[in-house]
């Protein structure tokens, strides 16, 4: 099937039935969520956080705090506020670690120097402070912040320590005007996290969780279990962050007649696409973001639309002996496997109709990546009991990759067949996806161009999911404005994989 034909099937036709999906997508997983304690559907309202703090004018005091098992960043009395900065502003943040253990703040997706990267190599001790000061060099987009102390990132994030970081520039403001969306009303941030029930924020992975990832049983959106939200009959912009430790979502919207509701993808991790892409579903792996426009103007009052994750094959294809070994240590209770389908959020259509707003032809301009000087393979796989990159695991004293000053490189992220999906993340730089090769059929069938790319591959990225057997080529412009060389990390954002060492250091310049 040609790329153009695939695009027609997968991304432009609203209401095409599930029957078009390859078998692997639909086979197997039933909606076992109903068996999960506390998985009641749509009884609680979505928390729409008005908690935004503008950075730039003065230094912000930010604390990491704990309350029994729950952790949070607190600033100006707000828990996990959205930090907002204009491109070019200076972020100055006085961070206080009020936890009983070391932590850091990592500014996920932002182009900062090593000192401000919070990468875990110089953790902030309990009761100590650290001032992060950096110019905001990124384009507009939804970035996020979370701790990164090596070996404890998964636990601290799961227990609640994360927030979003919105960067705004002229393209962003122009888009809001054109779509007539208002932050906190028709523009909503949706933060997805799957949680376990009954145990508060306790994080206690069994060997199986450590191998595959810590999967919850109940979906939370903005901290609320399966909420509902009343919406007007108009265009909504949803900025979605997957803050889950390990879960990948196959996101789609479904109306109350069971039909798919088409939407537009406006942007990815590193901000707006050049043009909006019509879609019916997208994959969103841990740490990825998607900026989406959904038009509710054609739906009658009283109807509803559900944001769901559809079934897919998890492709956690490890050697039998490895899996038997971890099962032998006891199965983990209260989790749903990756790829299980369930509902996340229900939109209830309310109010009078407004005219539907057209999406602008052009959203932004993407920087092109200069031709690469080097092709660098990064092989992802499992050996001797560990997830590895190029057969190595993280070593704070070893720099695995040396990038010459000012270089552009093509990285070949090659996942072995006997592996699992890995959400590969690079610190300090946004990259472009150049091509996907030898993708598994369900992924190949979602491609929107003849290079095998998905709609979500078309923008700037800092995290990209690489499926077993697949090679994802990415182009990275490693130029920096810093006089000295800088150290960054590349790792899997399945946080259990990361904590177990699926991470390498790179030196740039
Ligand atoms: Cu969001 Cu190194 O991580
Ligand atoms: Cu990061
Ligand atoms: Cu991984």
């Amino acid at each position: 099937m040609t790329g153009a034909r695939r695009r027609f099937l997968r991304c432009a036709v609203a209401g095409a039935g599930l029957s078009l999906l390859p078998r692997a997508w639909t086979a197997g997983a039933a909606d076992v969520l109903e068996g999960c304690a506390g998985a009641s559907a749509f009884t609680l309202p979505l928390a729409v956080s008005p908690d935004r703090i503008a950075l730039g004018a003065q230094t912000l005091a930010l604390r990491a705090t704990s309350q029994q098992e729950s952790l949070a960043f607190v600033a100006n009395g707000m828990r996990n506020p959205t930090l907002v900065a204009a491109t070019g502003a200076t972020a100055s943040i006085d961070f206080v670690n009020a936890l009983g253990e070391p932590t850091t703040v990592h500014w996920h997706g932002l182009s900062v120097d090593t000192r401000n990267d919070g990468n875990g190599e110089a953790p902030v001790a309990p009761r100590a402070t650290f001032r992060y000061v950096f110019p905001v060099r990124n384009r507009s987009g939804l970035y996020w912040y979370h701790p990164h102390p090596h070996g404890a990132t998964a636990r601290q994030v799961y227990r609640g320590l994360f927030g979003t970081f919105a960067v705004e520039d002229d393209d962003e403001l122009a888009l809001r005007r054109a779509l007539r969306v208002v932050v906190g009303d028709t523009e909503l941030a949706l933060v997805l996290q799957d949680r376990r029930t009954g145990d508060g924020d306790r994080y206690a992975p069994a060997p199986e969780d450590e191998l595959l990832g810590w999967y919850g049983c109940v979906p939370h959106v903005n901290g609320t279990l399966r909420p509902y939200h009343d919406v007007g009959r108009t265009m909504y912009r949803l900025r979605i962050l997957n803050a889950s430790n390990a879960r990948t979502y196959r996101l789609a919207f479904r109306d109350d007649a069971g039909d798919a509701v088409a939407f537009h993808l406006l942007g990815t991790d590193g901000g707006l696409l050049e043009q909006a892409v019509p879609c019916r579903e997208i994959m969103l792996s841990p740490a990825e973001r998607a900026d989406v426009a959904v038009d509710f103007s054609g739906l009658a009052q009283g109807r509803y639309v559900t944001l769901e994750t559809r079934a897919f094959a998890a492709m956690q294809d490890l050697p039998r002996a490895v899996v038997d070994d971890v099962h032998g240590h006891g199965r983990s209770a209260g989790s749903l496997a990756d790829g299980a389908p369930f509902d996340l959020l229900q939109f209830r259509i309310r109010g009078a109709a407004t005219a539907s707003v057209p999406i602008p032809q052009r959203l932004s301009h993407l920087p092109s990546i200069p031709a690469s000087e080097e092709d660098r393979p990064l092989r992802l796989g499992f050996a001797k009991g560990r997830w590895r990159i190029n057969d190595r695991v993280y070593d704070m004293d070893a720099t695995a990759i040396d990038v010459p000053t000012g270089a552009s490189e093509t990285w070949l992220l090659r996942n072995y067949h006997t592996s699992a999906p890995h959400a590969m993340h690079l610190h300090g730089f946004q990259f472009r996806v150049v091509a996907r090769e030898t993708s598994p059929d369900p992924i190949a069938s979602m491609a929107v161009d003849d290079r095998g790319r998905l709609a979500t591959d078309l923008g700037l990225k800092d995290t990209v999911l690489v499926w077993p057997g697949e090679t994802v080529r990415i182009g990275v412009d490693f130029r920096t404005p810093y006089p000295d060389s800088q150290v960054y990390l590349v790792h899997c954002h399945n946080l259990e994989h990361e904590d177990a060492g699926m991470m390498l250091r790179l030196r740039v310049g």
Side-chain angles (χ1 to χ4, degrees), residues 42-373:
F42 317 129
T43 52
L44 299 166
L46 176 74
V48 177
S49 170
D51 295 345
R52 293 165 68 87
I53 299 176
L55 299 176
Q58 55 206 24
T59 297
L60 179 72
L62 181 76
R63 302 166 70 81
T65 63
S66 62
Q67 210 174 55
Q68 283 138 359
E69 299 282 339
S70 308
L71 310 182
F73 287 114
V74 176
N76 296 356
M78 305 170 192
R79 288 171 70 85
N80 292 336
T82 295
L83 305 180
V84 186
T87 300
T90 298
S92 177
I93 293 140
D94 262 341
F95 175 63
V96 178
N97 179 7
L99 307 179
E101 58 179 325
T103 192
T104 67
V105 191
H106 169 59
W107 312 97
H108 181 119
L110 295 183
S111 299
V112 299
D113 58 358
T114 305
R115 183 199 170 275
N116 287 290
D117 194 40
N119 67 14
E121 298 196 348
V124 184
R127 291 176 304 281
T129 63
F130 185 84
R131 178 174 285 192
Y132 295 93
V133 192
F134 54 88
V136 176
R137 296 170 46 224
N138 292 67
R139 5 176 5 246
S140 58
L142 188 72
Y143 304 90
W144 61 306
Y145 58 103
H146 64 75
H148 216 295
H150 185 54
T153 299
R155 173 166 47 80
Q156 291 188 1
V157 171
Y158 178 72
R159 289 170 61 190
L161 215 45
F162 55 83
T164 52
F165 191 119
V167 177
E168 299 183 340
D169 62 12
D170 291 346
D171 288 342
E172 169 66 30
L173 302 178
L175 177 66
R176 275 194 193 136
R177 274 196 302 273
L179 294 179
R180 294 186 218 141
V181 289
V182 176
V183 175
D185 178 13
T186 45
E187 177 182 315
L188 303 170
L190 302 179
V191 180
L192 313 181
Q193 193 192 32
D194 57 324
R195 304 195 58 80
R196 300 201 178 188
T197 52
D199 247 347
D201 290 331
R202 211 166 76 89
Y203 177 80
E208 182 179 332
D209 304 312
E210 282 166 356
L211 177 69
L212 299 178
W214 172 256
Y215 291 95
C217 169
V218 280
H220 282 62
V221 182
N222 296 355
T224 304
L225 190 157
R226 270 185 150 184
Y228 69 86
H229 189 62
D230 289 340
V231 293
R233 296 169 65 189
T234 186
M235 177 80 82
Y236 275 71
R237 179 186 186 194
L238 307 174
R239 307 185 74 181
I240 309 172
L241 159 67
N242 181 358
S244 308
N245 281 36
R247 183 173 302 281
T248 292
Y249 298 84
R250 181 185 173 203
L251 296 176
F253 297 89
R254 183 186 84 229
D255 69 15
D256 45 8
D259 292 326
V261 175
F263 58 92
H264 280 84
L265 184 70
L266 303 175
T268 56
D269 306 343
L272 296 173
L273 302 175
E274 300 207 296
Q275 293 170 310
V277 182
C279 281
R280 294 180 58 248
E281 59 178 357
I282 48 170
M283 306 297 302
L284 202 70
S285 69
E288 282 189 294
R289 287 86 72 205
D291 191 346
V292 151
V294 199
D295 190 357
F296 296 123
S297 64
L299 288 155
Q301 154 124 342
R303 296 197 61 190
Y304 56 87
V305 170
T306 304
L307 173 63
E308 62 177 345
T309 179
R310 295 172 165 181
F312 63 90
M315 292 186 243
Q316 292 167 327
D317 301 324
L318 284 163
R320 192 70 250 164
V322 173
V323 176
D324 286 349
D325 185 49
V326 292
H327 278 166
H329 287 83
R331 240 208 130 110
S332 173
S335 75
L336 271 181
D338 212 13
F342 49 80
D343 294 341
L344 292 157
L345 167 64
Q346 188 182 71
F347 295 100
R348 300 178 178 170
I349 317 297
R350 297 277 183 269
T354 51
S356 103
V357 187
I359 293 176
Q361 281 297 318
R362 208 168 172 79
L363 304 179
S364 187
H365 168 77
L366 290 177
S368 61
I369 305 284
S372 104
E373 287 134 48

